[in-house]
Each structure stands twice: as structure tokens, then as C-alpha cells.
Amino acid sequence: MHIEGKETFTEVDLYARELIESDEEETEEEKEVREGTIDNLCKTIKERKMVLLGDVGMGKSTTLLFLHLQDAQAALLDNKKNIPVYIELKNLTDKDSILGKFQSKLKLDSAIFDDLLNKGRLNIFLDGLNEIEKNIKVSVFNQINNLLEEYPNNFFLFTGRPQHYNREFDNTLLKRKIPVFTLQKMGDKQIDDFITKNGKNIKEYLLNEINANERLKRIIQTPLMLTMLIAVVLKEGKYQMRKGK
């Protein structure tokens, strides 16, 4: 996120809840629904694979970038830790292969790269299932399915938007038993934490404004909108909500 003139990866405990489809054999009441922070779910989920859905501005890409950065820092300190690799699926063309993109980003020779894949030493972050170009969507989904089949011991995290997630990936999800989680809007504690990390000097003013205006509070429950509010106040010194907006 771009705040106070510099690029930062803001650590905020975004919360996700497992999506249980109504046509499954067990209802949500009968099945234990998993939920928690993204970081904790990544570390504890037994499948080591998950899809994360969220609306625009909910923080999907920022979360993946932060996890990627965090994992990279851990790998630099301990060579036994998994190595993270992140790509935006919207940038793929019909000439690209996902494996080729991985190898290029990691700058490894083929033998070392293949060894890491086969040993399950990668944390793979694929951002934007809904943003894949239509003309290559089938090809990309086939590549993803092959990755999951041939290298199942790596960790996989996919993101997408719920309203555009029209289930093309369902066969892969069901076959691989990949759970789907939805990002939840930020609560009071997360909002407080976010402002502390990104606008500490204006925290008291912002919280007073937010708590005095229920409509504003609903609007800034996503990281993107709260970031914009902080940026406005940092620049203008105040915030004024227009009537009827």
C-alpha cells in the first residue's frame, strides 16, 4: 500500500471464513467451519492449499505480497524454510507458462528448480483467478491442475473475487479437496490496529470521525478504503464527508 509517500506492506490481521456450499452433504451447522487470520490459516491448514475470495479493496493482493515478503525473509534466515513465489495471473499471455514464470522469478537453474518443486519446497501464490485473459483461461486452469497433480507437496494459495468466481475451477477444487475461504470486513480492533500502523499521528482524529459516523465506518471496513481515508487526512489535515454521498 502506498501511504505517506512510500511503498509499504502493511501487516493487518485480515480475517477469513471457510465457505461451505449448501449442496454439500454436511451443512454449515454440522461441519466445523474454519476461520481465522490468513497468516494463521496458511500455517495450520492441513490441505496446504486454499482459495481466498474477496471483493475489490479487501486486501487480497496486499495480503499475498505481505505473505510472500514474510516467507522470503524467513527463507533468507533459514535455508530449510519454503521459498515463496508470487505471480499475478492477469499478466500471463498465451506464450507464458506458469512454471517458466516461477523459474524466471526465482532465477534458478532447471535442476535446482525441479528439485525444489519435487520436494515441496515452494510456497506458491497465484493472484487473481478472475483476472485471467479469457482466451487463455482454459490453458491456465490446465496448467494449474497439472501443478497440483504433479507437485502436490508445495503450498498453494489462490485468490479471486466472489462475484466473478463462476466456478470454472470447481472440478479442480473438488478433485483436490481445496477449501475456499472468504475475506471478512475489518472489525473495530482491526481498524484500530490498521490506523496505528499507518496513521498513528492522526489516529485519535480518525477514530473520532469514524465512530461518530456509522456510514463512514461501513465504508472504511476494507483496507483500500481505509488507506484512502488516511491518505486524505494526511494530505488535507481533515476529512469531510459530503452529504448524500
Side-chain angles (χ1 to χ4, degrees):
M1 296 181 180
H2 194 72
I3 300 177
E4 296 185 276
K6 60 182 179 179
E7 198 74 17
T8 58
F9 292 105
T10 304
E11 180 183 5
V12 58
D13 291 330
L14 293 180
Y15 199 80
R17 180 178 174 84
E18 188 171 6
L19 178 65
I20 304 298
E21 296 290 351
S22 58
D23 59 351
E24 289 188 9
E25 292 183 5
E26 293 180 298
T27 65
E28 185 169 323
E29 289 74 23
E30 295 169 331
K31 182 175 180 178
E32 183 180 353
V33 179
R34 291 172 290 185
E35 54 190 331
T37 65
I38 311 302
D39 186 37
N40 186 58
L41 287 168
C42 288
K43 291 174 180 175
T44 60
I45 189 167
K46 65 180 186 296
E47 294 91 345
R48 288 183 51 73
K49 299 169 184 62
M50 60 188 289
V51 173
L52 182 63
L53 301 180
D55 290 319
V56 176
M58 285 294 289
K60 300 183 298 298
S61 296
T62 303
T63 297
L64 259 62
L65 285 168
F66 178 78
L67 292 172
H68 176 269
L69 175 64
Q70 184 175 255
D71 289 350
Q73 291 172 333
L76 286 172
L77 296 173
D78 183 352
N79 60 16
K80 294 181 181 179
K81 295 285 188 180
N82 272 22
I83 297 171
V85 59
Y86 166 92
I87 64 171
E88 292 180 279
L89 294 171
K90 68 180 181 182
N91 292 331
L92 292 177
T93 71
D94 57 355
K95 296 180 176 61
D96 292 323
S97 76
I98 294 176
L99 279 177
K101 282 285 190 181
F102 289 167
Q103 188 174 348
S104 175
K105 278 183 170 287
L106 294 175
K107 295 180 172 60
L108 298 172
D109 66 44
S110 296
I112 295 174
F113 178 64
D114 290 344
D115 187 57
L116 289 171
L117 271 172
N118 286 311
K119 289 181 177 178
R121 292 287 314 283
L122 298 182
N123 289 345
I124 296 171
F125 303 111
L126 296 176
D127 191 15
L129 287 171
N130 58 287
E131 296 181 276
I132 303 168
E133 292 291 336
K134 289 183 180 180
N135 62 313
I136 62 170
K137 187 171 285 189
V138 172
S139 170
V140 173
F141 281 165
N142 285 336
Q143 288 185 60
I144 292 172
N145 190 54
N146 290 338
L147 273 173
L148 291 164
E149 184 173 354
E150 294 176 24
Y151 309 106
N153 295 323
N154 297 282
F155 175 81
F156 290 86
L157 175 54
F158 308 91
T159 69
R161 295 179 194 164
Q163 66 269 36
H164 296 293
Y165 189 70
N166 52 6
R167 322 312 295 180
E168 300 114 317
F169 204 46
D170 262 9
N171 288 337
T172 297
L173 289 179
L174 294 172
K175 184 178 180 181
R176 309 293 172 204
K177 295 182 169 57
I178 302 175
V180 178
F181 291 81
T182 56
L183 276 171
Q184 307 296 301
K185 290 187 175 180
M186 293 191 294
D188 290 346
K189 182 180 181 302
Q190 292 168 304
I191 291 171
D192 187 290
D193 183 47
F194 193 98
I195 296 173
T196 299
K197 291 174 179 176
N198 296 290
K200 188 175 182 180
N201 294 338
I202 55 173
K203 178 179 176 179
E204 184 178 356
Y205 171 80
L206 281 174
L207 290 179
N208 286 338
E209 289 292 312
I210 291 168
N211 291 325
N213 191 321
E214 190 62 34
R215 187 155 60 95
L216 175 61
K217 190 172 187 177
R218 290 197 300 270
I219 291 171
I220 55 83
Q221 285 182 303
T222 67
L224 176 61
M225 297 307 294
L226 185 50
T227 298
M228 292 173 67
L229 175 63
I230 292 171
V232 168
V233 175
L234 285 171
K235 182 179 180 181
E236 305 293 338
K238 63 179 181 178
Y239 171 77
Q240 185 173 356
M241 194 166 188
R242 294 180 182 178
K243 293 181 178 180
K245 298 288 185 181

